[in-house]
Amino acid sequence: MTIVKRGFADVAHGQIHYRHAGASEDLPLVMLHASPGSSRQLVRLIEDLGATRRVIAPDTPGNGDSPTLAREETTVVRLAEAMLGFLDAMGLERVDLYGSHTGACIATELAILAPDRVRGVVLDGVSTFTAEELEDILANYAFPFEPDINGAYLVNLFQFCRDQYMFFPWYNRTRAGRRDNGMGAPADLHAWATEVMKAHDTYHFNYRAAFRWNGFDRLPLLTRPALLLAGENDPLIDQTRDLSAVVPTGSYVELARFDDPAFASGRLSAMQAFFASAQ
């Protein structure tokens, strides 16, 4: 069984926490997680990929156990700059990249910022929003969970995580907003909520940065080989499919539903084939 270990890297704004596994002479794979969680949500994929190569998955600044860049609004470009600092701190001269949702936005910007440091990049669900959608999502989606004496913020935080399984956006608890999705396992939901709890007053900065990021403007600047993926019931599947058409070096693979037994093996096979062909 692949053992996932943990560590901290010293960077300009403090430290970045990361999970890592595996060893290989091939390029390391750096994996960037989705909001609002941390690299904890990538553990199963780290285990699968770590069986054959070195995998490193940081908690992005302001998520999990990594301190935020600053207690203020940020941008995806600033987060990518922080990830470049992480590569430097870890002595990673050239890497493959994987990013999921918010992590996909950051991975794109990192590959644009330092193309000589990136061989190939996998973008697992990429978002871009219309002006109307953006106005609604910024007004309702992600805000800090401020502690209160009765612990009501913990209930609100848990429901915020739980309802993302059932609705998109999570606050649109109507038939129109209902996702064709099942609930996650209790242990997974607990782990997710715990990671959000660690970053209860900073997690939203990265979410909001990703919401404002415009994939139609930024993805055409990507010069490294890119693979865009999306599961059939990923709420970002339509956006990912549309965005794949503007990536000069990109290809697109549609995967099975998240709850289909074929999903994990299909994603793993697609990623391994892509990285084996990347130059």
Side-chain angles (χ1 to χ4, degrees), residues 5-72:
K5 300 179 181 179
R6 301 170 67 178
F8 286 88
D10 294 324
V11 294
H13 77 280
Q15 289 189 313
I16 287 183
H17 170 258
Y18 63 94
R19 289 175 166 84
H20 63 108
S24 169
E25 296 301 317
D26 195 8
L27 290 185
L29 170 62
V30 173
M31 305 183 68
L32 304 178
H33 61 84
S35 293
S38 73
S39 58
R40 170 61 182 79
Q41 277 61 62
L42 293 175
V43 163
R44 292 189 183 94
L45 191 51
I46 295 169
E47 290 173 341
D48 289 343
L49 289 161
T52 57
R53 66 183 303 180
R54 185 184 181 197
V55 180
I56 303 163
D59 294 351
T60 50
N63 292 122
D65 290 306
S66 292
T68 189
L69 295 174
R71 292 186 175 274
E72 60 188 22

Side-chain angles (χ1 to χ4, degrees), residues 2-219:
T2 304
I3 298 174
V4 178
K5 300 179 181 179
R6 301 170 67 178
F8 286 88
D10 294 324
V11 294
H13 77 280
Q15 289 189 313
I16 287 183
H17 170 258
Y18 63 94
R19 289 175 166 84
H20 63 108
S24 169
E25 296 301 317
D26 195 8
L27 290 185
L29 170 62
V30 173
M31 305 183 68
L32 304 178
H33 61 84
S35 293
S38 73
S39 58
R40 170 61 182 79
Q41 277 61 62
L42 293 175
V43 163
R44 292 189 183 94
L45 191 51
I46 295 169
E47 290 173 341
D48 289 343
L49 289 161
T52 57
R53 66 183 303 180
R54 185 184 181 197
V55 180
I56 303 163
D59 294 351
T60 50
N63 292 122
D65 290 306
S66 292
T68 189
L69 295 174
R71 292 186 175 274
E72 60 188 22
E73 297 282 347
T74 190
T75 66
V76 174
V77 171
R78 287 190 65 201
L79 293 166
E81 291 169 347
M83 288 298 100
L84 183 58
F86 174 73
L87 298 189
D88 291 340
M90 295 291 291
L92 302 173
E93 293 299 321
R94 197 160 184 253
V95 300
D96 285 329
L97 288 177
Y98 165 90
S100 173
H101 290 209
T102 297
C105 303
I106 300 171
T108 299
E109 290 296 341
L110 179 53
I112 294 171
L113 176 65
D116 58 317
R117 305 282 293 272
V118 176
R119 180 173 65 177
V121 56
V122 172
L123 307 175
D124 190 350
V126 191
S127 65
T128 195
F129 297 97
T130 66
E132 183 179 1
E133 290 169 336
L134 181 60
E135 181 180 7
D136 176 71
I137 214 161
L138 288 176
N140 295 289
Y141 204 103
F143 296 94
F145 292 101
E146 300 293 351
D148 62 85
I149 197 68
N150 297 315
Y153 80 104
L154 298 174
V155 176
N156 294 334
L157 186 154
F158 180 84
Q159 291 176 340
F160 165 73
C161 293
R162 180 200 63 193
D163 288 358
Q164 290 189 54
Y165 283 101
M166 298 184 290
F167 303 101
F168 185 79
W170 68 270
Y171 51 85
N172 184 12
R173 301 182 181 96
T174 67
R175 181 178 294 274
R178 188 174 64 188
R179 293 182 61 187
D180 179 18
N181 211 36
M183 282 295 297
D188 290 337
L189 184 53
H190 166 78
W192 194 18
T194 299
E195 295 302 297
V196 178
M197 197 183 308
K198 293 176 182 178
H200 64 94
D201 59 350
T202 61
Y203 81 94
H204 60 294
F205 293 135
N206 297 353
Y207 246 146
R208 294 171 68 82
F211 293 149
R212 291 190 175 99
W213 186 79
N214 189 316
F216 284 112
D217 288 342
R218 302 304 295 168
L219 281 164

